[in-house]
Amino acid sequence: MNIPYLYDAGALIAIDNGDRHMWARHHLALEDGRDIHIPSVVVSQAWRDARRQVRLGKFLAGCDVAPVGLETAKAAGILCGKAGTADVVDATVVVMAATLGAIIWTSDPDDIRTLIDAQDIKPAPVIRTV
C-alpha cells in the first residue's frame, strides 16, 4: 500500500515553472501507484491564466482535486486559531493530509510544521520540501 501525496501551492507552482525535480517526483509517485490529492483551494492559489498555464492544466487533469467541504473548512478554521495563523489554505492542506494519511509536498515547510504541531495528532503528517 502506498501512502498518498498531497500537494500545496508550492508544488503546483514548481510544476507550472517546469521544475524538473518536481516533475520527476510526480512521475515516480504515479509509477508507484500513489494517489495524488490537491485541495481545490490550493488550485485557486496557483491558477492565474489558462493561456499561460497549459502545463499546469494538463498536470491537474491527472490529480484528484478535492473540494473543501464544510467539516474540512471548519477544521481548518479551528486549526488556524490553535496555530495563531490566518492561512486557511495551508490549514486546509494539513487537515486534508491528516485525514488521508498523506505526505505533504510543500515549498513552505515551516508554516506547515507550525500547523501540524498545533493540530497535535499522531501520527503527524510527513512533510517533504519541493
Side-chain angles (χ1 to χ4, degrees):
M1 182 172 123
N2 285 319
I3 298 171
Y5 284 172
L6 193 139
Y7 295 158
D8 83 347
L12 299 189
I13 291 166
I15 288 292
D16 193 35
N17 290 334
D19 182 295
R20 291 182 181 162
H21 295 290
M22 190 60 211
W23 274 106
R25 288 181 195 112
H26 179 68
H27 285 295
L28 286 173
L30 293 176
E31 286 177 8
D32 286 346
R34 291 184 192 268
D35 291 329
I36 308 295
H37 302 276
I38 304 168
S40 57
V41 294
V42 167
V43 175
S44 298
Q45 276 190 319
W47 193 262
R48 294 295 178 264
D49 185 348
R51 294 170 296 169
R52 293 185 179 166
Q53 292 181 296
V54 173
R55 177 181 15 230
L56 182 58
K58 288 179 182 178
F59 169 82
L60 290 170
C63 300
D64 174 29
V65 178
V68 177
L70 181 59
E71 294 307 312
T72 299
K74 287 179 184 178
I78 291 168
L79 183 54
C80 281
K82 288 180 180 178
T85 182
D87 193 336
V88 295
V89 176
D90 279 355
T92 300
V93 165
V94 170
V95 167
M96 290 181 87
T99 300
L100 295 166
I103 295 170
I104 300 170
W105 283 92
T106 181
S107 61
D108 199 357
D110 294 336
D111 287 353
I112 297 294
R113 172 60 54 208
T114 297
L115 287 157
I116 288 172
D117 291 347
Q119 195 176 36
D120 194 32
I121 63 164
K122 304 295 180 221
V126 173
I127 302 169
R128 295 287 180 255
T129 303
V130 172

